[in-house]
Amino acid sequence: MKLWNTRKGLFLTVENQVYPVPEPGLDALLRLDDLTGYLKEIVGQGSVAEQIAPEDLLAPIENQEVWAAGVTYYRSRDARMEESRDAGGGSFYDRVYSAERPELFFKATASRVSGPGQPVRIRRDAQWSVPEPEWTLLVNPRGEIVGYTIGNDMSSRDIEGENPLYLPQAKVYQGSCALGPSIRIAAEPLPPTACIELVVERNGEVAFTGSTTLAELKRDPATLVEYLFRDNIFPHGVFLMTGTGIVPGDEFTLEHGDQVRIRIDGLGELVNPVVRG
Ligand code: DO4
Ligand code: MG
């Protein structure tokens, strides 16, 4: 079952049937002891005829913070080592890839998150920007993974590569994150065969395309969550992006007017136009 946040409220879909969710928002849903049981009861109450209009969709977030894991795929380790070679990146990205403690960083508050169809931004002072397509976990305040969605960890590679201490500026800015199109409510993770695909369209043509599978993800989602909740509390729950396994070649940078399409098996497709400044 999938949960959709819309201008008309929250809706649940099961096999193309649409069910209105009376709870006022995601914060309240995440506080429930048995979210799946509650949603199943809603299905029992009957569907509505109306389908969800794409233009009504909002990012599936209320007061949750968004955090992200980094260097969880070999491709990401490689690309970061290369981009930060002059800043000594050869050793710290390599070390974090194989360390027991994962890299976890704060990514966004809800106000910085774009929903389906809404623009994501390139920083005004960045020259080299990429989308990062990431399988994203939704975790309740008790640290239980209750759902999954698609995330885009927009990143300024020139800023991040210049000095690792610039990471927050490369990663956290207005419009630096997209989530959606919905949340798949499920306790069990996607299978390792699940494919993640990224397509960047420019002037109606494909400017970049790449794919990976969850089998390439080095970290176990439950362990990432366990580290995130060490000495931290998330009263509204939290989204945790699990890192990117798709990094375009060094010659590629996003441009104003591009369209970013991220598809993950079982989760659908998240599409966002790109704007600069
Ligand atoms: O350490 C830099 C960021 C890594 C990241 O965002 C990723 O691997 O997805
Ligand atoms: Mg990332």
Side-chain angles (χ1 to χ4, degrees):
M1 56 182 123
K2 287 184 177 159
L3 196 61
W4 305 78
N5 191 18
T6 81
R7 289 176 214 289
K8 297 174 180 163
L10 284 175
F11 290 89
L12 190 66
T13 56
V14 182
E15 288 162 9
N16 290 330
Q17 299 293 306
V18 181
Y19 305 87
V21 179
E23 273 295 344
L26 192 57
D27 292 4
L29 286 181
L30 290 178
R31 278 195 296 270
L32 295 173
D33 285 336
D34 180 11
L35 174 61
T36 310
Y38 171 78
L39 295 176
K40 280 185 179 158
E41 268 177 36
I42 289 175
V43 171
Q45 287 159 18
S47 59
V48 288
E50 208 185 329
Q51 289 295 307
I52 298 169
E55 59 274 17
D56 284 341
L57 286 178
L58 300 172
I61 187 168
E62 196 177 11
N63 281 302
Q64 294 68 42
E65 292 175 358
V66 182
W67 284 67
V71 200
T72 50
Y73 291 77
Y74 198 79
R75 173 68 189 124
S76 177
R77 163 199 171 276
D78 250 16
R80 316 272 164 198
M81 283 171 71
E82 188 56 32
E83 82 190 3
S84 61
R85 208 176 7 190
D86 294 346
S91 88
F92 48 76
Y93 286 117
D94 193 22
R95 289 213 316 261
V96 80
Y97 180 75
S98 44
E100 194 178 324
R101 182 188 289 275
E103 177 196 2
L104 295 176
F105 58 91
F106 177 78
K107 175 62 191 175
T109 45
S111 68
R112 298 187 174 90
V113 176
S114 305
Q118 296 170 348
V120 286
R121 285 188 59 248
I122 300 171
R123 270 186 78 111
R124 232 179 304 153
D125 55 357
Q127 308 305 321
W128 185 18
S129 297
V130 290
E132 293 190 358
E134 304 194 10
W135 182 40
T136 301
L137 319 173
L138 174 59
V139 188
N140 71 17
R142 293 183 298 284
E144 298 157 345
I145 302 173
V146 295
Y148 303 92
T149 189
I150 301 173
N152 179 355
D153 170 22
M154 289 284 288
S155 302
S156 312
R157 291 193 65 192
D158 53 336
I159 297 174
E160 164 188 284
E162 189 179 336
N163 189 316
L165 298 181
Y166 295 159
L167 189 78
Q169 294 175 76
K171 295 285 193 181
V172 186
Y173 57 90
Q174 201 54 41
S176 66
C177 180
L179 292 176
S182 62
I183 297 165
R184 180 190 173 118
I185 302 294
E188 57 300 331
L190 295 176
T193 50
C195 189
I196 303 179
E197 279 169 15
L198 167 66
V199 177
V200 180
E201 293 171 351
R202 185 169 298 157
N203 303 323
E205 296 191 352
V206 174
F208 173 81
T209 180
S211 66
T212 188
T213 69
L214 290 182
E216 303 298 316
L217 174 59
K218 186 168 184 273
R219 306 274 179 176
D220 166 42
T223 309
L224 291 175
V225 171
E226 192 269 313
Y227 269 96
L228 183 64
F229 275 68
R230 279 191 194 184
D231 278 314
N232 228 336
I233 54 164
F234 299 94
H236 304 295
V238 60
F239 287 91
L240 178 56
M241 304 171 105
T242 58
T244 188
I246 306 172
V247 185
D250 294 357
E251 69 297 338
F252 177 88
T253 185
L254 280 173
E255 288 178 9
H256 179 93
D258 286 353
Q259 180 107 308
V260 176
R261 295 182 170 274
I262 303 172
R263 210 191 60 73
I264 302 186
D265 287 341
L267 301 182
E269 188 178 47
L270 174 63
V271 183
N272 298 94
V274 177
V275 298
R276 174 184 270 280

